Amino acid sequence: LPELPEVETVRRDLLRLYAGHRLKSLSVSGRRTVRRHSPEQLGALREKILLSVGRHGKYLVFFWEGGPSLVAHLRMSGQLLAASPGDPVAPHTHAVFSFDGAGELRFVDPRTFGELFLSTPAAAPPMASSPSALPELAHLGPDALMATARDLSCALAGRHAPLKALLVDQRVIAGIGNIYADEICWKARLRPDRPGGSLDQADLRRLVRATRSVLLAAIAARGSTLADRRYRDLGGSAGAYQLEHRVYGRAGLPCAGCGRPVERLRWGAKSAYVCGSCQA
DNA sequence: CGATTATCCTGTGCGC
DNA sequence: TGCGCACAGGATAATC
């Protein structure tokens, strides 16, 4: 399930493969794939050259030479895959972009939670290729790789909700999902079910450091591919960070820090993997 | 207002 | 071996 490290891996591959290339044609077949406006409006991107690809949290933003930006979110099961025109079309392929001299980019999404939409910056400084200037992304908190201890201190102060619930709330901090929230809490030695407002300054500092180090290590490993094999990079390859997971999906297995079994906490419909000994 | 719950979907894996 | 079903969880709307 793509979170910040997976989306960042895809972003870097997109830049490498398609930046500087002209979009010759595109087709959208999925009924739910473009749902914020008419799918035909995507035609505005035809003949545009891709300048860069940005990211804020789990959102990808394609910037073109003229014309609106294209925003993509993979949600639960979305994949962006590089392909050649003759390649067999995978089931649940909902959109195909064809670039001059760079082959195709295909959007595949069995559960159809993912989406594509066009967006234009609210204020339009021509040189700004900043995802955060897009009104549809304005509700997002700071990107998890940019968030400071001060950001988190303000966002968590007085909150009774569990720390993990706040970490995966994109309005608080953008990019963290179920897997990395657990890994970050373990690395920061904080229980995910602690009230967000109970963290002191030392806790917050550990949380920010853990966030950065876990996400950067996961990017270096090209993301996490779980047993369901759902996440793939642009070339269809798996990530490797799942091999470095310390708690996520490891209920009953020994904690990497102390050897005691990892537990699975549940509250409501949510759950978290935690070491009851290493995290407090 | 903040916290919780339901909803959107399909593939997977479990129990019987 | 097969069938039914709970589960997976990202974001948003609705509700308490």
Side-chain angles (χ1 to χ4, degrees):
Chain A
L1 315 264
E3 302 179 29
L4 187 150
E6 291 76 29
V7 177
E8 177 63 15
T9 301
V10 170
R11 185 191 74 83
R12 294 177 184 186
D13 284 353
L14 287 167
L15 263 184
R16 188 167 49 78
L17 284 183
Y18 303 106
H21 291 272
R22 187 180 300 273
L23 181 67
K24 294 306 287 184
S25 64
L26 72 165
S27 69
V28 178
S29 51
R31 287 172 154 250
R32 280 171 44 82
T33 302
V34 179
R35 50 183 181 261
R36 301 197 190 203
H37 54 71
S38 158
E40 285 73 33
Q41 288 184 252
L42 283 192
L45 300 179
R46 204 167 285 125
E47 298 298 330
K48 303 292 188 205
I49 291 173
L50 181 66
L51 291 180
S52 67
V53 183
R55 182 191 58 73
H56 190 106
K58 304 170 194 171
Y59 289 84
L60 283 168
V61 185
F62 296 71
F63 296 101
W64 310 85
E65 191 175 54
S69 300
L70 174 69
V71 181
H73 198 304
L74 303 173
R75 289 297 218 291
M76 304 290 293
S77 61
Q79 296 178 310
L80 287 169
L81 295 171
S84 296
D87 291 347
V89 177
H92 307 294
T93 298
H94 302 311
V96 177
F97 300 82
S98 188
F99 287 87
D100 195 9
E104 292 181 356
L105 172 64
R106 298 178 181 177
F107 179 69
V108 179
D109 186 13
R111 293 177 69 175
T112 71
F113 289 161
E115 65 169 330
L116 305 174
F117 62 90
L118 295 180
S119 181
T120 305
M127 63 180 192
S129 50
S130 165
S132 44
L134 301 177
E136 292 87 350
L137 309 190
H139 66 289
L140 296 174
D143 186 82
L145 280 179
M146 304 293 179
T148 64
R150 179 180 299 270
D151 289 333
L152 283 178
S153 173
C154 294
L156 302 189
R159 301 291 296 267
H160 289 157
L163 172 59
K164 175 169 179 178
L166 298 171
L167 288 178
V168 301
D169 184 336
Q170 304 300 297
R171 295 165 299 183
V172 171
I173 179 170
I176 299 172
N178 203 35
I179 296 172
Y180 293 104
D182 284 359
E183 294 299 315
I184 288 166
C185 285
W186 182 86
K187 182 96 181 188
R189 298 181 162 268
L190 295 168
R191 288 184 64 93
D193 55 346
R194 265 180 67 163
S198 72
L199 275 63
D200 63 24
Q201 287 304 313
D203 293 333
L204 286 164
R205 240 188 43 194
R206 287 205 313 284
L207 182 61
V208 169
R209 292 171 66 92
T211 298
R212 283 192 61 81
S213 69
V214 166
L215 295 178
L216 289 175
I219 292 169
R222 299 184 62 79
S224 300
T225 299
L226 302 181
D228 62 15
R229 318 295 287 166
R230 187 129 306 155
Y231 163 69
R232 297 307 182 110
D233 65 20
L234 261 196
S237 299
Y241 193 71
Q242 68 280 0
L243 302 173
E244 298 174 53
H245 288 179
R246 300 301 190 219
V247 283
Y248 181 80
R250 297 178 53 82
L253 296 173
C255 165
C258 70
R260 291 191 179 85
V262 172
E263 308 161 44
R264 185 171 193 184
L265 305 176
R266 290 182 179 276
W267 67 90
K270 302 296 179 186
S271 73
Y273 297 94
V274 59
C275 173
S277 172
C278 291
Q279 296 170 255

